[in-house]
Amino acid sequence: MDHGVLAFYVVMVLFNAVAMGAEPEKYVGVHQNSVSSSGPVISSNSVLVALLDAHYDYTELAEMVEKALLLQPLEEVVGSSNITIFAPSNAFLEKNLDPQFRKFLHEPGNLKSLQKLLQFHVVPRRMVAEEWTNATHKALNWNEELRFWVNGDIKKKVMKVDLGTVTHPNAVVRPDGVIHGIDRLLVPKSVQDDFNQWRNGRVVLEAVKPEGAPAVDSSHHRKKTSLIGLSSGSLPSIYFEYAAAPGPSLAPAPAPGPSSGHYWFDGESQVKDFIHTLVQYGGYNEMADILVNLTSMASEMAKLVSEGYRLTVLAPSDEAMGKLTTDQLSELEHIIYYHMIPEYQTEESFYTAVRRFGKLKYDTLHIPHKVVTQEADGTVLFGEGEESAHLYDHDIYIDGRISVQGIDKVLFPPSHHVKGRKLEQEQEQQAEKKSKPSKGRLLGSACNLLERVGQNSLISSC
């Protein structure tokens, strides 16, 4: 091809590319913005996640929060400030709550009353037991006040909130809030008035049946019982000492904190037990071999468990471990630390959390990297993109302090992905340089110009 014709052809191609290329760039920008506008990923260390965790015995209250459509508003509150939740135990809500009051709360037309009741159990500030004083604080709805007081000395400290007694102080302490276990349901005066009107057959004017309101849970209905002392045909107002009478607390005693310098548990036996289970289960021998023989992780895990830590191990299968490259094996210890979560999670708690919150981030022992979880195909997906792994064999080992969950791929921390991509790009560039034939200076310049605008296919020599 003549050099003058080639130059003219290159100029025309550049002109067309500039004229036609602007609109696609706008489209890409809109697409990127739409992706980035997705909501924030809630941390697994959130107090709301703990409220949903069956380990803490407050899941009945969590279900009421969901039915009241308050989960999303609470997420917004903890995103900007700390909260304190006063939570009756599952045992109280299942056995001691008056059946008529339960029916009142579950009726869709009483949604606002349920919301006011639950907001009365939340204070938009952090209140740990050690800082408890005699005071009055606004509840989350700001229309009701909660009274707090403390009696007795340090050894026999009695903490009360409204008409309830704190049976399990500092039951859950997280960066964004605190949960205290209490012995009863706290009922504000406005909800008491709503219930009395409902009992008398009057309609609460402000109660509007919302769309998508939760249905009545028939599994909690029991045979109605009449109150003692009521004459026939009368329906007087009653106090909630009848509807919410305190029952025995089944909350467990607080566990010793980690890193206390004391060895409260036999971590060595527990780690040996879980590794033995891993081998006997089959398909995870490589992971067991790495923990015991190739690294000192087994002894480190035993020390952590002895001090009071809980661990969840995401164990890749032997098939997944067999696909590791030589470069990846050189960073094996960091990769395995990325599979250890310093929390106790089971398949149920993982799935419950991702189903209700969408995406969560869990801390790992490969500090500061976190692993993202989300729901996919009815199970839990760890990681993002092509390197994500499904929860494959759930609850291989669970003893209350160590949990082992089998996954079908090896997870890599984000920094490893960046290094891997850079290495692959360098190798591809070197291979292209070797494979490409040499060109003349002018033809090479033309090809470079055409390549920038995506039109290099127009000249076969490129």
Side-chain angles (χ1 to χ4, degrees), residues 282-458:
Y284 296 93
N285 293 338
E286 294 290 338
M287 185 68 176
D289 188 45
I290 290 170
L291 295 175
V292 177
N293 298 322
L294 300 183
T295 67
S296 60
M297 289 184 181
S299 58
E300 293 176 9
M301 289 175 64
K303 183 178 179 181
L304 290 173
V305 174
S306 296
E307 291 182 358
Y309 282 95
R310 293 180 172 90
L311 293 174
T312 297
V313 181
L314 305 178
S317 64
D318 289 344
E319 182 180 356
M321 297 294 287
K323 296 178 181 179
L324 292 177
T325 64
T326 304
D327 293 332
Q328 291 168 343
L329 289 172
S330 65
E331 300 181 13
L332 184 61
E333 191 164 324
H334 293 295
I335 292 174
I336 298 302
Y337 275 131
Y338 189 62
H339 290 71
M340 295 186 182
I341 299 173
E343 302 176 28
Y344 183 78
Q345 299 290 340
T346 62
E347 184 268 342
E348 181 183 2
S349 63
F350 271 132
Y351 186 71
T352 300
V354 298
R355 185 174 59 85
R356 296 182 181 180
F357 292 106
K359 282 187 178 181
L360 289 93
K361 287 184 177 179
Y362 288 87
D363 293 320
T364 69
L365 293 187
H366 186 14
I367 301 172
H369 297 295
K370 298 185 177 184
V371 61
V372 176
T373 61
Q374 56 189 310
E375 182 182 7
D377 303 325
T379 184
V380 182
L381 188 70
F382 297 92
E384 295 182 290
E386 296 180 356
E387 300 298 331
S388 57
H390 288 85
L391 181 54
Y392 187 68
D393 288 320
H394 59 82
D395 297 344
I396 296 175
Y397 180 86
I398 48 174
D399 67 355
R401 307 207 67 80
I402 299 177
S403 168
V404 182
Q405 308 294 326
I407 56 177
D408 60 357
K409 285 187 180 180
V410 179
L411 301 173
F412 299 100
S415 60
H416 188 278
H417 288 306
V418 174
K419 292 177 182 178
R421 282 195 294 268
K422 286 183 178 179
L423 182 61
E424 289 177 1
Q425 290 174 358
E426 291 175 358
Q427 292 175 347
E428 289 176 0
Q429 290 174 359
Q430 291 177 359
E432 287 178 1
K433 289 179 180 179
K434 292 179 181 179
S435 61
K436 285 185 178 180
S438 60
K439 308 181 185 77
R441 183 175 299 177
L442 180 58
L443 182 58
S445 300
C447 289
N448 289 336
L449 287 173
L450 292 172
E451 186 175 4
R452 291 178 186 176
V453 296
Q455 302 291 339
N456 56 332
S457 62
L458 296 175

Side-chain angles (χ1 to χ4, degrees), residues 32 54 88 102 138 203 361 418:
Q32 289 174 345
R102 184 188 300 279
K138 290 281 188 181
V203 177
K361 287 184 177 179
V418 174

Side-chain angles (χ1 to χ4, degrees), residues 132 134 149-160:
W132 201 290
N134 297 335
W149 62 88
V150 57
N151 298 320
D153 54 20
I154 298 177
K155 294 182 179 180
K156 295 183 179 180
K157 191 175 183 180
V158 179
M159 301 165 56
K160 297 184 72 69

Side-chain angles (χ1 to χ4, degrees), residues 86 128-133 148-150 159-161 166 180:
F86 302 97
V128 293
E130 293 76 14
E131 300 172 358
W132 201 290
T133 59
F148 299 86
W149 62 88
V150 57
M159 301 165 56
K160 297 184 72 69
V161 51
V166 177
H180 300 293

Side-chain angles (χ1 to χ4, degrees), residues 187-221:
V187 184
K189 185 179 183 302
S190 59
V191 177
Q192 176 180 342
D193 294 338
D194 293 346
F195 178 57
N196 289 332
Q197 288 181 335
W198 177 82
R199 279 177 54 83
N200 286 317
R202 294 199 298 257
V203 177
V204 182
L205 296 179
E206 293 183 356
V208 179
K209 184 175 180 178
E211 284 190 64
V216 177
D217 187 355
S218 59
S219 63
H220 292 295
H221 284 289

